């Protein structure tokens, strides 16, 4: 393989181009609700032009474009590598920000402030800039790379990746493995995600005997609600204790249950006919038998004399294997070892588009090359250091050279 090193001048030019592109992308307010993706499309079309790469835009749902830039490999029949990022960002409370959230200001510490600087416009640009550097260095890869920029991840991806993976357009990409977002890490280590918990929302209907507030009736909604609340909070304490007892565990290793809504009642002196209690519940992808969990919830509800409805009940999705059976992981690890990165593999505490890709059987590694940085996704004054951003591009160069050249297992 012919490859050349870049001169210091070329490197400096590429760095400033990367920073300019990152800031320009951050300045597009692709913020919920009701995101208009037109400016993102235009931006990415210009990127494709400057990289001389083909670009495809598909919209399984109108106004919800999936943008794909492709760099064809030297062995284009091999399964490809999908480099996924989402274009949308979560809302901002502008008055709480020291810097305007869509100005992408750089402060005196060389940090870039903007919504999306960590989650995850950084990663989208880092993929593009890594490809630009590989091209400049004359490095070709065996496998085709597809850089996908998807809509609506922040609202569940229903009209984005979740829909897209079920289309022929997606099938035609022939994806063997994908990279998607991770999360910043406040320490030297880099967080790496190989699975996600599934979300269940329990809406518990507690119906009881109504009456006047001056009485002491039996079987009231309040008594029933208390029973189920006690059960769920006792369980919650157990899960909290597991984290205390196992310091290396993360939130992704336990089931979280949180009381998020209570409603019911008509007035202060009337015992209500019904109280509604909602719990947000997140279940790990491994080591928890989801059928047993459901039986337990049903048993508690039966004892309490209440019934449960599930407005959200996601399936448990198998995590991506991080062992020798996964050639892409082996290649990924080889490159990060070579770069001297310390990885902390874990289960993602929340949900990303990775789950939609894993669900159809494709291995996904969730990784954002951000360490020594506070976790500010969805927070005020989200920022990313320029040096961290630029180092991330070099990290992706190493990863892409390794993962993009991985051989199919013979036999
Ligand atoms: Zn994200």
């Amino acid at each position: 393989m012919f490859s050349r090193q870049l001169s210091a001048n070329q490197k400096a030019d590429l760095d400033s181009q990367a920073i300019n592109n990152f800031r320009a992308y951050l300045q597009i307010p692709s913020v919920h609700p009701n995101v208009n993706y037109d400016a993102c499309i235009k931006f990415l079309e210009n990127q494709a032009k400057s990289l001389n790469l083909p670009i495809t835009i598909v919209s399984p749902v109108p106004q919800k474009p999936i943008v794909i830039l492709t760099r064809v490999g030297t062995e284009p029949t091999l399964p490809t590598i999908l480099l996924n990022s989402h274009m949308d960002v979560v809302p901002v409370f502008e008055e709480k920000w020291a810097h305007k959230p869509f100005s992408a200001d750089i402060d005196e510490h060389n940090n870039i402030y903007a919504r999306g600087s960590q989650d995850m416009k950084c990663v989208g640009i880092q993929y593009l800039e890594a490809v630009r550097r590989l091209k400049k260095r004359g490095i070709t890869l065996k496998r085709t790379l597809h850089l996908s920029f998807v809509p609506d991840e922040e609202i569940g991806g229903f009209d984005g990746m979740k829909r897209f993976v079920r289309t022929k357009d997606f099938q035609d990409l022939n994806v063997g493995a994908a990279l998607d977002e991770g999360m910043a890490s406040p320490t030297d280590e880099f967080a790496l995600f190989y699975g996600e918990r599934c979300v269940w929302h329990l809406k518990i209907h507690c119906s009881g005997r109504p009456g006047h507030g001056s009485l002491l009736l039996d079987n009231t909604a309040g008594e029933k609600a208390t029973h189920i609340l006690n059960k769920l909070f006792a369980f919650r304490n157990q899960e909290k204790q597991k984290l205390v007892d196992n310091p290396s565990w993360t939130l992704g290793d336990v089931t979280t249950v949180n009381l998020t809504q209570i409603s019911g009642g008509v007035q202060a002196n009337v015992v209500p006919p019904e109280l509604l209690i909602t719990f947000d519940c997140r279940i790990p992808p491994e080591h928890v038998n989801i059928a047993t969990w459901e039986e337990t919830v049903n048993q508690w509800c039966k004892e309490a004399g209440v019934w449960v409805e599930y407005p959200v009940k996601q399936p448990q999705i198998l995590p991506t294997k991080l062992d020798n059976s996964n050639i892409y992981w082996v290649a990924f690890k080889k490159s990060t070892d070579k770069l001297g990165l310390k990885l902390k593999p874990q289960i993602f505490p929340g949900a990303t588009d990775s789950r939609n890709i894993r669900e159809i059987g494709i291995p996904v590694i969730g990784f954002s090359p951000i360490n020594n940085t506070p976790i500010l996704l969805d927070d005020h004054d989200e920022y990313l250091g320029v040096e961290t951003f630029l180092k991330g591009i070099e990290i992706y160069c190493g990863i892409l050279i390794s993962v993009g050249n991985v051989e199919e297992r013979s036999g």
Side-chain angles (χ1 to χ4, degrees):
M1 189 199 321
F2 168 74
S3 91
R4 50 184 172 264
Q5 290 303 315
L6 301 174
S7 71
N9 274 346
Q10 281 176 314
K11 179 88 175 25
D13 285 349
L14 283 166
D15 283 354
S16 68
Q17 185 177 15
I19 296 163
N20 291 343
N21 283 337
F22 185 30
R23 294 186 65 210
Y25 191 31
L26 289 168
Q27 284 161 356
I28 301 170
S30 49
V31 58
H32 286 286
N34 306 318
V35 183
N36 180 335
Y37 291 103
D38 291 350
C40 290
I41 294 180
K42 196 150 184 282
F43 172 82
L44 292 167
E45 282 173 339
N46 286 333
Q47 293 301 317
K49 217 174 280 169
S50 85
L51 285 159
N52 196 22
L53 295 180
I55 182 169
T56 314
I57 300 164
V58 294
S59 300
V61 177
Q63 313 302 321
K64 309 285 185 185
I66 314 271
V67 183
I68 301 153
L69 280 71
T70 297
R71 186 173 190 224
V72 178
T74 55
E75 295 180 27
T77 55
L78 285 177
T80 64
I81 309 300
L82 182 73
L83 306 175
N84 186 56
S85 65
H86 60 81
M87 301 181 281
D88 56 322
V89 298
V90 296
V92 290
F93 300 94
E94 199 170 326
E95 64 282 6
K96 305 263 177 148
W97 284 61
H99 300 266
K100 287 221 177 298
F102 297 101
S103 293
D105 291 343
I106 303 184
D107 75 356
E108 67 276 20
H109 305 293
N110 220 14
N111 292 324
I112 302 180
Y113 284 82
R115 175 59 86 225
S117 54
Q118 289 190 12
D119 181 13
M120 63 173 299
K121 286 180 170 171
C122 50
V123 172
I125 297 295
Q126 284 164 327
Y127 294 150
L128 287 168
E129 298 303 327
V131 169
R132 194 186 312 278
R133 280 165 208 227
L134 296 186
K135 287 191 74 165
K136 267 252 150 61
R137 289 171 60 190
I139 297 173
T140 49
L141 304 174
K142 286 188 184 137
R143 290 178 189 255
T144 295
L145 304 178
H146 295 294
L147 285 63
S148 56
F149 296 82
V150 302
D152 282 15
E153 188 277 341
E154 297 291 3
I155 52 170
F158 296 102
D159 292 340
M161 189 54 96
K162 198 173 174 64
R163 180 73 71 99
F164 181 49
V165 295
R166 286 169 178 77
T167 62
K168 175 145 190 320
D169 289 312
F170 184 86
Q171 252 176 32
D172 290 346
L173 298 180
N174 188 26
V175 176
L179 299 187
D180 203 332
E181 68 190 300
M183 206 190 277
S185 158
T187 69
D188 221 24
E189 288 179 319
F190 291 84
L192 180 135
F193 301 94
Y194 62 97
E196 294 186 354
R197 297 186 298 175
C198 59
V199 181
W200 281 19
H201 288 162
L202 319 179
K203 192 171 179 183
I204 301 166
H205 295 254
C206 310
S207 308
R209 191 170 162 197
H212 195 267
S214 61
L215 306 173
L216 278 175
L217 299 168
D218 287 327
N219 292 318
T220 59
E223 287 169 306
K224 294 179 181 184
T226 303
H227 187 97
I228 194 76
L229 285 171
N230 285 341
K231 289 290 181 189
L232 280 158
F233 274 97
F235 174 78
R236 188 175 183 276
N237 285 337
Q238 277 174 28
E239 297 298 289
K240 270 177 103 168
Q241 191 57 41
K242 283 184 194 170
L243 285 180
V244 175
D245 296 342
N246 301 280
S248 69
W249 284 23
T250 64
L251 273 177
D253 295 311
V254 295
T255 302
T256 50
V257 291
N258 280 297
L259 175 60
T260 50
Q261 289 178 300
I262 295 187
S263 63
V266 279
Q267 63 186 56
N269 64 347
V270 173
V271 176
E274 185 177 67
L275 290 170
L276 274 176
I277 304 171
T278 302
F279 274 84
D280 178 285
C281 167
R282 313 269 166 142
I283 306 144
E286 302 176 286
H287 315 306
V288 171
N289 183 321
I290 206 159
T292 309
W293 165 244
E294 185 170 9
E295 272 169 35
T296 305
V297 172
N298 285 339
Q299 180 58 31
W300 291 339
C301 287
K302 205 172 145 193
E303 288 164 17
V306 300
W307 65 278
V308 60
E309 169 189 10
Y310 298 95
V312 174
K313 196 180 189 187
Q314 292 176 344
Q316 219 171 11
I317 292 167
L318 279 181
T320 294
K321 285 207 161 70
L322 300 189
D323 60 25
N324 287 335
S325 71
N326 179 353
I327 52 171
Y328 305 101
W329 162 248
V330 173
F332 185 99
K333 183 76 167 54
K334 205 182 264 176
S335 63
T336 53
D337 283 350
K338 201 168 149 194
L339 291 161
L341 309 188
K342 278 182 272 175
L343 302 178
K344 184 172 167 58
Q346 56 196 288
I347 298 297
F348 206 88
T352 72
D353 271 334
S354 301
R355 66 175 297 104
N356 297 317
I357 308 172
R358 282 194 195 101
E359 195 171 11
I360 58 165
I362 293 172
V364 185
I365 293 170
F367 175 71
S368 300
I370 309 173
N371 66 344
N372 296 317
T373 302
I375 301 170
L376 295 170
L377 76 167
D378 299 5
D379 207 341
H380 315 309
D381 284 322
E382 182 179 346
Y383 75 81
L384 185 62
V386 167
E387 293 313 314
T388 309
F389 168 70
L390 293 174
K391 192 167 164 242
I393 299 170
E394 292 304 321
I395 291 173
Y396 277 121
C397 285
I399 292 171
L400 294 184
I401 290 171
S402 190
V403 176
N405 282 318
V406 66
E407 306 270 357
E408 284 301 282
R409 199 182 294 278
S410 52

